[in-house]
Amino acid sequence: MKKVTMADVAKLANVSKSTVSQYLNKRYEYMSEETRKRIAEAIEELGYQPNVIARSLKQKTTATIGVIVFNMLHMMTTQVLHAIEEECQKRGFQVIVCNSGDDPDKEKTYVDTLLAKQVDGLIVFPTGKNEDVYRCLVEERFPLVFVDRMVPGVEADSVLLDNFAAAEMAVDYFASNGYGRIAIVTPPLVPYNVPRMERLEGFRAAMRKRGMDVEERNIIAADPGALPEVLKQRFAEPKRPNALFAINDLTLMGVLRFVKETGIRMPDELAIINIDDVPFADIYTPALTTIAQPTFAMGKKAAERVFEQMDSNHADSPRVFRFSPALMERTWIKRGNGKEGRRNDEDS
């Protein structure tokens, strides 16, 4: 079967090859609506498929954006990805997604692979390492945006939650409902993981602001799979927490397994708030009060910034965009009597 060419489309649509080229490059301002319609119909009738490689060589673009995530299992990640893909598709760009598994070596390999494929920009949920790799990209003015985390020592556009505000929101909500023995539950704490450290710092600051002590044993750090056993050990001790602040959705899953295995009554014996508005929050019994990240707005902003860098060749300085959290109040809190933090000194 003879390969359909641009000339064939032009002939059937009764336009020039240059007009077809303008149509394919979405430069519609150079043609009438009727012309656009004829070209679209000719392409469909002939089954014409543009030579993407040839076009990319000519235009010096592959119309692709590389996205590297650290954990595809996070709900936040999938929602931000959805927004990034939508924004890219609006501009005629495709997205290549890689999952580093929070492994710096794997992350570096994916950066090298995507650059070899000549992507036009990178949006990265970084592991927090590979400073030299990203510093070189910034120096070369390669379009780069970080999401959810930043890389210490690398000045690049970053899109993330206001983690301090989210932690304060959780503490304030607990305290205003009478909970005083508040513990934070987090994955293992590492200095290069910005959200974990900021949420812990925000938690400490909010507790101090309320005049409440933070005991080291109430900073509970463990992988989600190990959390049930770690929490059982903490709850076997005196003055066990009556409120848990889980810093993300995967941590929440570990907390819920602990609740199920121990039969702790919610919210009579324990209240929980977590960051990430999980999809089952309103159908769980009792319903979960959560702190939502504006994931779609964050994904849209990340894509917009990478395109702005491509268009302006880094005309402006790198910026950090922090998005405000939102409290999704449901029923998993036992209302207090107005005496904030009244349970602080009670025994279990």
Side-chain angles (χ1 to χ4, degrees):
M1 183 179 292
K2 179 185 176 184
K3 183 178 180 180
V4 178
T5 66
M6 188 184 297
D8 297 326
V9 174
K11 182 177 180 180
L12 183 59
N14 195 28
V15 297
S16 67
K17 284 176 60 178
S18 63
T19 301
V20 175
S21 177
Q22 290 168 351
Y23 174 88
L24 293 173
N25 291 308
K26 302 184 185 300
R27 293 199 289 269
Y28 303 132
E29 64 271 21
Y30 298 103
M31 63 194 73
S32 66
E33 185 64 34
E34 176 60 29
T35 298
R36 286 176 59 182
K37 183 179 178 182
R38 288 206 314 273
I39 295 173
E41 289 174 347
I43 288 173
E44 183 176 359
E45 182 178 335
L46 295 172
Y48 173 67
Q49 293 184 332
N51 187 327
V52 176
I53 295 176
R55 287 176 63 200
S56 69
L57 290 172
K58 185 176 181 180
Q59 298 173 0
K60 295 183 180 180
T61 175
T62 58
T64 55
I65 300 296
V67 181
I68 304 173
V69 303
F70 55 76
N71 192 334
M72 197 74 77
L73 297 177
H74 276 294
M75 185 197 71
M76 178 265 187
T77 303
T78 56
Q79 291 181 344
V80 172
L81 268 177
H82 180 72
I84 289 172
E85 185 178 29
E86 278 195 347
E87 192 64 25
C88 288
Q89 285 186 339
K90 287 179 185 177
R91 301 167 187 258
F93 276 66
Q94 302 300 311
V95 174
I96 302 175
V97 181
C98 304
N99 182 24
S100 73
D102 222 4
D103 180 340
D105 292 334
K106 196 173 179 182
E107 176 186 47
K108 182 181 183 302
T109 298
Y110 278 135
V111 170
D112 294 339
T113 300
L114 291 169
L115 293 177
K117 290 182 178 294
Q118 298 184 321
V119 295
D120 297 299
L122 284 175
I123 298 174
V124 183
F125 297 64
T127 61
K129 294 191 173 182
N130 289 315
E131 300 94 330
D132 292 342
V133 173
Y134 294 120
R135 200 175 290 117
C136 286
L137 291 177
V138 171
E139 290 173 357
E140 294 173 4
R141 297 189 173 184
F142 186 84
L144 172 67
V145 177
F146 292 141
V147 178
D148 189 52
R149 301 176 180 176
M150 296 181 286
V151 179
V154 180
E155 294 186 3
D157 278 351
S158 302
V159 176
L160 64 162
L161 182 70
D162 186 338
N163 294 299
F164 299 98
E168 184 172 14
M169 183 177 287
V171 171
D172 284 352
Y173 191 66
F174 280 140
S176 64
N177 284 285
Y179 292 90
R181 297 195 310 278
I182 308 169
I184 183 172
V185 187
T186 171
L189 294 165
V190 288
Y192 55 82
N193 189 306
V194 172
R196 294 180 196 176
M197 302 310 295
E198 288 187 347
R199 290 170 194 181
L200 174 59
E201 187 178 340
F203 173 76
R204 289 183 185 275
M207 293 286 281
R208 286 195 300 268
K209 186 177 178 181
R210 288 275 185 172
M212 301 162 74
D213 295 331
V214 180
E215 297 184 41
E216 287 304 311
R217 62 179 181 168
N218 283 338
I219 299 173
I220 302 169
D223 289 318
L227 265 178
E229 291 305 316
V230 173
L231 287 167
K232 286 175 187 176
Q233 293 172 19
R234 174 63 188 93
F235 274 66
E237 300 171 357
K239 291 188 178 180
R240 70 188 197 185
N242 58 11
L244 296 179
F245 168 41
I247 73 162
N248 61 32
D249 56 341
L250 297 186
T251 301
L252 172 67
M253 299 305 294
V255 172
L256 294 182
R257 289 191 190 96
F258 159 73
V259 170
K260 181 180 179 181
E261 291 174 9
T262 58
I264 287 179
R265 291 177 295 123
M266 316 297 298
D268 296 328
E269 295 180 280
L270 181 68
I272 297 174
I273 291 178
N274 71 284
I275 294 178
D276 292 325
D277 190 31
V278 292
F280 57 84
D282 58 350
I283 59 175
Y284 195 89
T285 304
L288 309 178
T289 292
T290 64
I291 295 174
Q293 301 194 55
T295 50
F296 290 96
M298 292 166 70
K300 186 174 187 293
K301 174 59 72 174
E304 288 175 347
R305 286 301 291 180
V306 85
F307 283 114
E308 286 173 17
Q309 292 178 32
M310 290 161 56
D311 293 341
S312 64
N313 197 27
H314 273 204
D316 57 347
S317 300
R319 296 174 60 188
V320 176
F321 299 87
R322 290 189 178 273
F323 283 74
S324 299
L327 182 70
M328 310 301 289
E329 186 175 4
R330 298 186 178 95
T331 58
W332 214 359
I333 291 289
K334 187 176 182 180
R335 297 298 181 185
N337 58 14
K339 296 179 181 179
E340 298 183 3
R342 73 186 190 284
R343 295 182 174 86
N344 195 43
D345 296 319
E346 295 178 7
D347 289 331
S348 61

